[in-house]
């Protein structure tokens, strides 16, 4: 048994595909000794479309991630890695939130579209340039010829999702934004069900409910700490903007998961950078040109813009990597803690009042997140069309007619004595 485990560990470190391992192990008669300790169906975990895609610099689907948790080898490591990756994304989001709030409160700079434009420009310079130097079917020109209109809609959804959420703060309260922003999670799960064919178990719905309970605890802590100073100028408009932004985020994330797992990470980032720069640039010239002209530039403002741009660029660059090894729903549950990280920084920068409920809400969200990651979702296989069991006389005649052009045509005749005579001209 020890030799078997050593062999499996060696194969997993070589980063071979799980399906290839399973096909090889099936041919070994001695596998019968090891089968009771493995869930063979989960061991194979077929992903036919994804196995054909080469991961660009990050492939963590090793064999150890398919071993039964009863052996005690992979499940804790897998959950720990997922939690760490999710919290890294939360820290990137925290960086963007803290710098934006500091610009708004200390320097009266409110330019969300300009900040997004800087991020999309960085994506354009890095990833779209990488696509431009590619050749073959995955080159920039071929991608634009085949899927340009799809990426226009994706870029529009991504740009407007960022803009509507930030804009909503001008109309509604922080409580409404924090609560209604969670509307994107059920929308994301619904889109994953129909578009990505993801199938959830009861434990996943319970985990989502636990995470949302943690968000509710965080909002309650905000109210008790007195962070609800502004009531907003028009709550209805603000709430609608939050719901719209959450839905657009869900569309963007599901599209990102599909592209990353079936095409490539560079293609997604390059196309979002290209069309995001165009769309945000046009919108910037229309709605924010006056705010940019009023900025009194100094080195502190430039530093804050730089930190924001780097955090946002890191978020966009790193999120496809995390989504590829987890899922869009898992990522969105993990980044619910971003508001709490922003709060912890705000205790020192903006002198927020601390409440023990913040710690409780963080623990509740993490429990729900770990609960969700403890059980993998499954992917429904597409239903195959039934094939005819027999050809019949008519189909046989069709097959004779479909012979090679060089073969003489065949004629089928049925005589009165129920014999079939085949003659050629």
């Amino acid at each position: 048994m020890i030799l078997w485990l050593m062999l499996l560990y060696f194969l997993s470190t070589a980063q071979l595909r799980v399906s290839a391992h399973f096909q090889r192990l099936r041919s070994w008669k001695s596998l019968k000794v090891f089968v009771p300790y493995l869930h063979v169906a989960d061991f194979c975990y077929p992903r036919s479309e994804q196995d054909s895609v080469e991961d660009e610099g990050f492939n963590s689907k090793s064999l150890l991630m398919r071993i039964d948790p009863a052996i005690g080898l992979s499940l804790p490591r897998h959950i720990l890695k997922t939690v760490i990756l999710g919290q890294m994304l939360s820290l990137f989001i925290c960086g963007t939130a803290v710098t934006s709030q500091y610009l708004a409160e200390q320097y009266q700079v409110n330019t969300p579209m300009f900040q997004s434009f800087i991020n999309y420009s960085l994506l354009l310079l890095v990833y779209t340039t990488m696509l431009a130097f590619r050749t073959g079917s995955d080159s920039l020109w071929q991608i634009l010829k085949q899927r340009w209109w799809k990426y226009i809609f994706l870029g529009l959804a991504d740009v407007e999702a960022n803009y509507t959420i930030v804009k909503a703060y001008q109309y509604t309260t922080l409580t409404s934004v924090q609560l209604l922003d969670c509307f994107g999670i059920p929308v994301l799960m619904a889109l994953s069900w129909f578009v990505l064919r993801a199938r959830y178990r009861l434990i996943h719905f319970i985990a989502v409910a636990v995470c949302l309970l943690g968000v509710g605890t965080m909002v309650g802590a905000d109210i008790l700490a007195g962070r609800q100073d502004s009531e907003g100028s028009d709550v209805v408009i603000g709430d609608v903007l939050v719901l719209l932004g959450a839905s657009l985020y869900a569309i963007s994330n599901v599209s990102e998961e599909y592209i990353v797992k079936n095409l490539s990470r560079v293609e997604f980032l390059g196309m979002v950078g290209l069309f995001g720069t165009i769309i945000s640039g046009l919108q910037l010239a229309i709605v924010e040109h006056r705010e940019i002209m009023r900025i009194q530039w100094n080195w502190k403002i430039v530093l804050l813009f730089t930190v924001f741009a780097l955090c946002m660029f890191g978020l966009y660059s790193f999120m496809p990597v995390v989504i590829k090894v987890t899922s869009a729903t898992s990522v969105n549950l993990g980044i619910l803690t971003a508001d709490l990280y922003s709060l912890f920084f705000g205790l020192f920068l903006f002198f927020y009042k601390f409440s023990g409920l913040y710690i409780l809400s963080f623990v509740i969200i993490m429990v729900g997140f770990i609960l969700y990651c403890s059980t993998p979702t499954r992917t429904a296989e597409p239903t195959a069309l039934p094939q005819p069991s027999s050809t019949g006389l008519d189909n046989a005649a069709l097959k004779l007619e479909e012979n090679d052009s060089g073969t003489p045509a065949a004629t089928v005749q049925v005589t009165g004595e129920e014999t079939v005579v085949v003659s050629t001209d």
Side-chain angles (χ1 to χ4, degrees):
M1 182 63 67
I2 295 176
L3 293 176
W4 276 106
L5 294 176
M6 292 177 63
L7 178 60
L8 289 174
Y9 181 79
F10 173 78
L11 292 175
S12 66
T13 55
Q15 296 294 318
L16 298 176
R17 290 185 176 86
V18 177
S19 58
H21 285 301
F22 183 69
Q23 295 298 329
R24 183 178 299 175
L25 291 174
R26 284 183 62 185
S27 64
W28 296 347
K29 296 181 180 179
S30 57
L31 180 63
K32 296 179 181 179
V33 180
F34 196 62
V35 164
Y37 300 96
L38 297 174
H39 292 306
V40 178
D42 293 335
F43 188 80
C44 181
Y45 204 79
R47 295 175 181 266
S48 56
E49 295 182 358
Q50 299 174 20
D51 287 341
S52 61
V53 180
E54 294 184 358
D55 191 1
E56 302 179 9
F58 194 93
N59 184 8
S60 65
K61 290 191 176 297
S62 60
L63 188 59
L64 287 177
M65 295 174 64
R66 300 290 172 235
I67 299 180
D68 193 286
I71 304 179
L73 289 178
S74 63
L75 185 58
R77 181 187 302 177
H78 170 62
I79 293 179
L80 179 62
K81 179 171 59 176
T82 304
V83 170
I84 293 175
L85 293 176
Q87 298 317 295
M88 290 179 65
L89 294 179
S90 290
L91 289 174
F92 281 125
I93 297 175
C94 171
T96 62
V98 170
T99 52
S100 297
Q101 186 172 357
Y102 204 86
L103 283 169
E105 293 190 3
Q106 300 297 323
Y107 300 100
Q108 289 72 50
V109 175
N110 293 284
T111 56
M113 188 54 62
F114 178 61
Q115 293 166 238
S116 297
F117 176 77
I118 297 175
N119 170 57
Y120 292 122
S121 299
L122 290 176
L123 295 176
L124 173 68
L125 292 175
V126 176
Y127 296 104
T128 310
T129 303
M130 293 173 63
L131 289 178
F133 283 98
R134 285 184 173 183
T135 58
S137 59
D138 57 348
S139 64
L140 177 62
W141 176 245
Q142 292 297 325
I143 293 173
L144 290 175
K145 285 177 59 178
Q146 299 173 9
R147 298 181 287 273
W148 63 271
W149 61 273
K150 298 179 181 179
Y151 285 114
I152 289 180
F153 285 108
L154 175 58
L156 183 64
D158 197 77
V159 171
E160 299 308 324
N162 291 321
Y163 181 74
T164 52
I165 291 294
V166 176
K167 195 70 174 177
Y169 283 98
Q170 300 180 13
Y171 298 98
T172 188
T173 62
L174 177 64
T175 302
S176 296
V177 174
Q178 290 175 324
L179 288 176
L180 296 178
D181 191 32
C182 297
F183 175 73
I185 294 178
V187 174
L188 181 60
M189 296 180 70
L191 291 176
S192 298
W193 180 283
F194 292 105
V195 177
L196 304 178
R197 305 183 65 85
R199 295 297 179 261
Y200 303 99
R201 296 179 172 89
L202 178 61
I203 189 66
H204 295 119
F205 296 102
I206 295 176
V208 171
V210 172
C211 289
L212 297 181
L213 177 62
V215 174
T217 306
M218 178 179 62
V219 172
D222 286 339
I223 296 176
L224 294 177
R227 291 185 61 195
Q228 306 301 314
D229 297 331
S230 174
E231 293 298 329
S233 58
D234 197 323
V235 176
V236 176
I237 294 178
D239 292 347
V240 171
L241 288 176
V242 176
L243 295 176
L244 178 60
S247 301
L248 291 175
Y249 269 130
I251 295 173
S252 177
N253 289 154
V254 169
S255 303
E256 180 176 0
E257 181 175 353
Y258 178 83
I259 296 170
V260 167
K261 291 185 176 180
N262 294 277
L263 298 173
S264 75
R265 165 178 170 266
V266 174
E267 177 175 335
F268 168 78
L269 294 174
M271 290 296 99
V272 169
L274 175 61
F275 291 106
T277 301
I278 297 174
I279 296 172
S280 62
L282 293 175
Q283 191 165 342
L284 168 66
I286 297 173
V287 301
E288 281 189 2
H289 62 279
R290 294 181 179 177
E291 286 77 4
I292 297 175
M293 298 298 296
R294 286 197 295 263
I295 298 177
Q296 298 179 358
W297 293 94
N298 56 56
W299 69 271
K300 293 182 179 179
I301 293 180
V302 172
L303 179 62
L304 289 172
F305 271 106
T306 303
V307 173
F308 175 90
L310 291 177
C311 290
M312 186 66 79
F313 179 78
L315 174 66
Y316 270 74
S317 299
F318 192 57
M319 182 176 282
V321 178
V322 183
I323 286 180
K324 185 163 188 177
V325 299
T326 57
S327 67
T329 304
S330 177
V331 168
N332 277 264
L333 291 176
I335 62 179
L336 289 177
T337 57
D339 288 336
L340 292 170
Y341 292 130
S342 302
L343 167 74
F344 296 147
F345 280 98
L347 295 174
F348 304 97
L349 295 176
F350 310 111
F351 305 103
Y352 291 155
K353 294 181 180 179
F354 179 77
S355 173
L357 289 177
Y358 289 124
I359 302 296
L360 178 61
S361 64
F362 180 82
V363 172
I364 294 175
I365 292 174
M366 292 306 300
V367 169
F369 181 45
I370 294 174
L371 193 63
Y372 184 92
C373 298
S374 64
T375 304
T377 59
R378 62 184 181 88
T379 303
E381 296 294 333
T383 305
L385 294 177
Q387 299 296 329
S389 58
S390 60
T391 57
L393 188 60
D394 294 337
N395 290 333
L398 289 175
K399 287 187 176 181
L400 290 173
E401 293 177 0
E402 292 174 356
N403 284 339
D404 199 348
S405 58
T407 304
T411 305
V412 180
Q413 296 179 349
V414 181
T415 65
E417 298 177 356
E418 296 183 355
T419 60
V420 178
V421 180
V422 180
S423 62
T424 59
D425 296 333

